[in-house]
C-alpha cells in the first residue's frame, strides 16, 4: 500500500459478508508495498442480493481489481455470464466458467472478467510448500463445496491419476467428481465412528488426502478418522484458522507430511495480483503477510 493514498492511487477491494476477518487486505497491501505499486486494497461488506450492484459499482468507480469471497462467488459468476454480458465484453475465464464460481474479477478496458484462482493457488502451494506434484498421483478430496470443486478441477488439470471425492452429501460429490473427467470417482464419507471401508481402502494407496470442508475450524473436530493416514502420504487441510487443525496434528503424529491452508490463501491471491497488474507477484512477501494475524 502506498503510505498516503493520493489522487492517482488505484483501488482494489474484496467483497464478502462477513468480511471484517479477511486477511486479503494485509496480503495485497504488502504486495503493493513490496512492488512499489501505487495501489490500495480495502474490504467491502456487500450483503447478499447486492452483487450485481457491486459489480456495476466496480465498473463505474474504476476499481482496479476485485476479490470475491463467501457468499458471493456463484452470484458473481452468474452476473458476468448474464444475457447481454458479451455485448459489454464481460466474460468468465475457463476455470470460473466450469466451476460457476468467481473469486477474482479483472478489469480489462471497460469489461469485467471473472476468474477462479483457488485451484491454481492450491496446486501452487502443493508444489512450492510441500514439494508435491499432482501429476500421476492418487488424490482424495473430502468435501464438495466451492473450494473442493476448485481443487478437484485443478488436480485433474494438473494430471492427477485419480481424484476421489468423499462428501457428506453424495449428489454434491458426484457433481464435483464430474469436474475431474475420467480421473474422477466418488466414495462415501463415513458418518459414524471409524474411517469406513471405502475410505480405508482408498487411503491405503492414496498419495494425497485433502480436507476441503470447514470441519476442524473449531480446533477439535476432524472430517475423517485419521487412523488410516500413514507415512509417505501428504495430508493437506485448506482451513486457515487454526493453522494446524486436528487432522493435520494427527496426520503428523502418524508420520505423514502435512500442509496447512495459508499457502493456498497467499498463492491464490498471488495469481490474482498477476492477473490484475501484469507483474510477477512478490510471493514470499504475500506468504509472510498471510501468516500475520
Ligand atoms: P462450502 O461451499 O460451504 O462447502 C462446504 C463443504 O463442507 C461441503 O462439501 C459440505 O458438505 C462440507 N461440510 C460442511 N460441514 C460439514 C460437516 N459437519 N461434516 C461433513 N461435511 C461438512 O464451503 P467452501 O467455500 O468450499 O469452504 C470450505 C473450507 O475451505 C472453509 O473452511 C474455507 O474457509 C476453506 N477455504 C480455504 C481457502 C484457502 O485459500 N485456504 C479458500 C477457500 C476456502 P455438504 O455438501 O454435505 O453440505
Amino acid at each position: 500500500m502506498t503510505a498516503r493514498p493520493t489522487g492517482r492511487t488505484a483501488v482494489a477491494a474484496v467483497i464478502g459478508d462477513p468480511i471484517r476477518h479477511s486477511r486479503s487486505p494485509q496480503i495485497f497491501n504488502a504486495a503493493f508495498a513490496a512492488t512499489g505499486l501505487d495501489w490500495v486494497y480495502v474490504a467491502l461488506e456487500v450483503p447478499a442480493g447486492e452483487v450485481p450492484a457491486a459489480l456495476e459499482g466496480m465498473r463505474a468507480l474504476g476499481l482496479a481489481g476485485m476479490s470475491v469471497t463467501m457468499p458471493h462467488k456463484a452470484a458473481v459468476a452468474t452476473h458476468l455470464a448474464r444475457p447481454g454480458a458479451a455485448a459489454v465484453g464481460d466474460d468468465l475465464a475457463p476455470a470460473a466458467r466450469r466451476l460457476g464460481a468467481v473469486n477474482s474479477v479483472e478489469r480489462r478496458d471497460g469489461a469485467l472478467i471473472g476468474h477462479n484462482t483457488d485451484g491454481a493457488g492450491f496446486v501452487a502451494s502443493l508444489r512450492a510448500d510441500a514439494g508435491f506434484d499432482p501429476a500421476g498421483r492418487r488424490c482424495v478430496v473430502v468435501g464438495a463445496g466451492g473450494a473442493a470443486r476448485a481443487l478437484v478441477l485443478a488436480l485433474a488439470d494438473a494430471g492427477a491419476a485419480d481424484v476421489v471425492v468423499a462428501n457428506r452429501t453424495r449428489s454434491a460429490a458426484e457433481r464435483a467428481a464430474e469436474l475431474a473427467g475420467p480421473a474422477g470417482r466418488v466414495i462415501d464419507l463415513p458418518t459414524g465412528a471409524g474411517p469406513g471401508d471405502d475410505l480405508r481402502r482408498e487411503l491405503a494407496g492414496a498419495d494425497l488426502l485433502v480436507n476441503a470442508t470447514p470441519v476442524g475450524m473449531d480446533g477439535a473436530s476432524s472430517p475423517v478418522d485419521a487412523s488410516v493416514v500413514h507415512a509417505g502420504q501428504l495430508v493437506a487441510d485448506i482451513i486457515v484458522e487454526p493453522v494446524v487443525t486436528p487432522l493435520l496434528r494427527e496426520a503428523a503424529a502418524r508420520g505423514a507430511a502435512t500442509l496447512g491452508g495459508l499457502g493456498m490463501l497467499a498463492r491464490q491471491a498471488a495469481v490474482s495480483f498477476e492477473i490484475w497488474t501484469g507483474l510477477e507477484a512478490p510471493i514470499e512477501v504475500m506468504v509472510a503477510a498471510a501468516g500475520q494475524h
Side-chain angles (χ1 to χ4, degrees), residues 130-171:
F132 181 96
D133 185 344
R137 302 297 193 92
R138 299 177 63 180
C139 308
V140 178
V141 176
V142 181
R149 289 169 55 81
L151 268 45
V152 166
L153 180 63
L155 288 168
D157 283 354
D162 252 342
V163 185
V164 177
V165 182
N167 189 54
R168 183 175 60 178
T169 307
R170 191 172 170 105
S171 55

Side-chain angles (χ1 to χ4, degrees), residues 15 46 91 108 110 166 207 217 264:
I15 61 166
V46 171
D91 204 356
R108 200 184 286 168
D207 302 301
M217 288 180 74
M264 171 179 168

Side-chain angles (χ1 to χ4, degrees), residues 70 73 118 143-148 167-169 172 189 212-215 217 238-240 261 264-265 268:
M70 297 254 290
K73 293 181 181 184
D118 277 337
N167 189 54
R168 183 175 60 178
T169 307
L189 183 65
T213 77
V215 183
M217 288 180 74
I238 67 167
I239 288 174
V240 167
M264 171 179 168
L265 182 69
Q268 59 79 25

Side-chain angles (χ1 to χ4, degrees), residues 2 22 24 44 47 50 87 110 119 128 134 139 148 155-156 172 194 218 224 227 232 237 259 278 284 288 290 292:
T2 179
S22 173
S24 293
L44 303 174
E50 294 293 342
C139 308
L155 288 168
D218 59 0
V224 297
S227 67
D237 197 325
L259 177 68
E284 297 312 328
Q292 284 159 17

Side-chain angles (χ1 to χ4, degrees), residues 58-59 63 80 85-91 105-114:
M58 174 186 184
R59 197 192 316 270
L63 297 188
L80 296 183
V88 292
D90 291 355
D91 204 356
V105 183
E106 172 195 9
R107 189 183 163 77
R108 200 184 286 168
D109 301 323
L112 305 179
I113 314 296

Side-chain angles (χ1 to χ4, degrees), residues 1-2 9-12 29 32-33 36-41 64-65 273 276-277:
M1 177 170 64
T2 179
T9 304
V11 179
N29 286 319
F32 297 149
L37 277 178
D38 186 10
W39 286 44
V40 64
Y41 184 106
F273 178 98
W276 298 346
T277 68

